[in-house]
Amino acid sequence: MHADSHFADLSFKTLICDTPRPGVARIILNRPASMNAYTHHMTDDLLAAIALYRDDDSLRALVLTGAGERAFCTGGDLGGSDPEHSRNVARSAMGQGREMREGMQAVVLALRRLDKPSLAMVRGYAVAGGLALALACDFRFAARSAKLGDTSNKAGLLPDEGGAWLFPRAMGLDRALKMTLMHEIYPADEAERLGLVTEVVDDAGLEARTLDFCEALAAKAPLAVRLSKMMMEKALTIGLEASLSDAQMAVMITNPSEDVREGVAAFREKRAPVFKGR
């Protein structure tokens, strides 16, 4: 544990938060008996934890994962293990929309809006809303034994947590429709081939590989990391000329920065740079 932040002091009913490496925050979905299915309590907790990561400049990379070996997250809790706070599919039409808008949809948006990197570490199942949650992160590292797919239609539900937008962008429209309409779940190697997973790692080495990657990310120049992410996200929705214009504005921030001076000096002195984000 690295006490470079107050993030590890956070206490939530449904999450465990810590800082396992310098500059790295970790959020663990902590409902393993329910395969980390989300509830109202969990989405509220996630929104709070993500905001605290966003606002803490000492934290430069986020790992999102699930407790236990059985699941990353299996979507909304339909099993009634927490009846008061499970996903309520019997309420009014307006209540349904509000539940989604203020719950997991808000979590997915919060992750996508981050200007710092996030990574989903997947063990076990990441299905339905759980797959959307993983795809809301920038990277997905999966254990070789992991299973990923969409089971929402199997219960007559929809990919309403963001899957309708995220799935086709990851794997193409035809494959996304096939996955959702046929309730398909893929082993990790197949999910990687389809574009749902960034990297597959043998189960025993997953945590070490994930934390090594995030620690390396956290050591990069924060201004360059944040602006590169923002530029690439926006570039998916605009033309080349507009993207080049964004780049012109961004270099006016990075090129005069202390980090660039440090990076150039480190290159010339053949040493590792120490970036401070300014």
Side-chain angles (χ1 to χ4, degrees):
M1 188 72 65
H2 294 267
D4 56 350
S5 166
H6 294 294
F7 189 81
D9 299 331
L10 301 177
S11 178
F12 294 110
K13 290 183 178 180
T14 65
L15 308 176
I16 298 170
C17 296
D18 64 2
T19 52
R21 298 282 183 89
V24 178
R26 178 166 57 184
I27 299 173
I28 303 170
L29 311 180
N30 191 32
R31 301 186 72 238
S34 300
M35 299 183 77
N36 298 314
Y38 71 79
T39 64
H40 299 314
H41 274 154
M42 182 180 281
T43 56
D44 288 347
D45 287 352
L46 278 167
L47 288 170
I50 292 166
L52 288 163
Y53 164 67
R54 178 197 65 204
D55 295 339
D56 188 336
D57 286 341
S58 73
L59 299 173
R60 299 179 181 178
L62 172 67
V63 177
L64 180 63
T65 191
E69 303 294 325
R70 298 171 63 210
F72 169 77
C73 175
T74 53
D77 187 348
L78 301 178
S81 58
D82 184 6
E84 183 181 354
H85 300 287
S86 296
R87 181 167 177 178
N88 187 344
V89 295
R91 65 173 58 184
S92 69
M94 293 300 292
Q96 292 282 346
R98 184 171 59 253
E99 178 184 283
M100 293 309 305
R101 182 175 64 251
E102 296 177 1
M104 187 51 75
Q105 287 184 352
V107 172
V108 167
L109 279 173
L111 286 167
R112 296 292 295 187
R113 287 170 174 162
L114 285 173
D115 64 356
K116 297 191 284 187
S118 61
L119 183 150
M121 186 179 80
V122 178
R123 295 191 186 95
Y125 286 92
V127 296
L131 179 58
L133 182 61
L135 286 169
C137 296
D138 299 309
F139 309 99
R140 284 150 300 285
F141 284 14
R144 200 165 299 279
S145 63
K147 308 286 186 184
L148 300 93
D150 186 21
T151 55
S152 54
N153 270 199
K154 193 171 186 178
L157 298 169
L158 301 173
D160 49 18
E161 296 98 338
W165 191 91
L166 293 161
F167 299 163
R169 281 166 173 76
M171 60 196 307
L173 178 58
D174 57 340
R175 289 173 172 173
L177 275 172
K178 180 171 176 281
M179 175 180 70
T180 293
L181 300 184
M182 302 306 292
H183 329 139
E184 292 183 340
I185 299 176
Y186 312 111
D189 287 326
E190 177 71 0
E192 181 184 29
R193 186 184 71 80
L194 290 170
L196 296 173
V197 169
T198 309
E199 185 173 320
V200 177
V201 184
D202 288 340
D203 289 34
L206 178 64
E207 182 169 348
R209 167 59 183 150
T210 297
L211 294 180
D212 286 349
F213 180 83
C214 286
E215 186 175 0
L217 264 182
K220 307 298 183 187
L223 292 175
V225 168
R226 291 183 176 197
L227 287 166
S228 294
K229 176 178 172 177
M230 293 168 68
M231 287 166 58
M232 288 190 188
E233 286 271 3
K234 187 176 177 183
L236 292 173
T237 63
I238 60 177
L240 173 60
E241 190 168 352
S243 181
L244 291 172
S245 180
D246 282 351
Q248 294 162 26
M249 298 297 290
V251 299
M252 294 169 67
I253 299 172
T254 53
N255 283 7
S257 69
E258 289 183 25
D259 277 357
V260 166
R261 290 197 293 274
E262 165 64 8
V264 171
F267 175 79
R268 290 173 175 168
E269 297 164 13
K270 297 181 171 56
R271 60 173 175 81
V274 178
F275 295 117
K276 297 180 180 179
R278 55 178 187 257

